[in-house]
Amino acid sequence: MRESLISSIKKNSYDLSAWFDKHFRRVPIPMLTAITIRDGGFKVAPLEIQIFPAGINNLCKADLRSVPNLFKKYFKQHYEDMPRLKKIAVLTAASHINPFYYEHLYTLIQLIKKAGFKVEAATIEPLDKKITVKTPSRKTIHIYPAWIEQRRLK
């Protein structure tokens, strides 16, 4: 079954892409989404959907090079008033039990910057001032305090 599914997807890849493009215009999905698919041999089914999953730092270099253009395309499609977009806040936890999460966060921030946007990591957890986190590879991330005021992130 798996081979016939893969063959069918390859054969119909342009039609599938057109279908997704059409439906994503009506129901936008979050910028980063992962779907885990289970292949039971006799049936294939989605097992889990993660919105904003960690792991972007694990993409191969060729895919990482294409991400900034995909981010530009995403924001252009979903935010009509692009000239007014001043800064993007990547909301995160102030602390995380998995230190490699911060590798993901660092990579995500860098890719958004490469797309031409100003970006900062922020948290709505109570903080008095910015905190600095080191990734396992010794990269630095500043996480700023943020709050919501009159339906806007400040």
Side-chain angles (χ1 to χ4, degrees), residues 47-62:
L47 180 66
E48 163 185 55
I49 298 174
Q50 294 181 2
I51 298 176
F52 299 106
I56 199 166
N57 55 303
N58 295 322
L59 293 174
C60 71
K61 291 191 185 302

Side-chain angles (χ1 to χ4, degrees), residues 96-103 134-136:
H96 202 282
I97 59 171
N98 179 357
F100 292 99
Y101 169 77
Y102 293 111
E103 292 291 345
K134 290 277 189 191
T135 71

Side-chain angles (χ1 to χ4, degrees), residues 31-32 56-57 64 67-68 71 75 87-93 101-123 131 133 135 139-144:
M31 185 171 54
L32 297 175
I56 199 166
N57 55 303
L64 283 172
V67 171
F71 281 164
F75 286 114
K87 190 184 287 188
I88 295 172
V90 176
L91 292 178
T92 185
Y101 169 77
Y102 293 111
E103 292 291 345
H104 159 76
L105 182 61
Y106 179 86
T107 303
L108 177 61
I109 290 168
Q110 296 309 308
L111 291 168
I112 295 171
K113 285 181 179 179
K114 285 182 181 178
F117 300 102
K118 292 180 182 177
V119 60
E120 300 288 352
T123 185
I131 61 171
V133 176
T135 71
K139 296 171 184 144
T140 301
I141 301 172
H142 300 294
I143 301 175
Y144 294 88

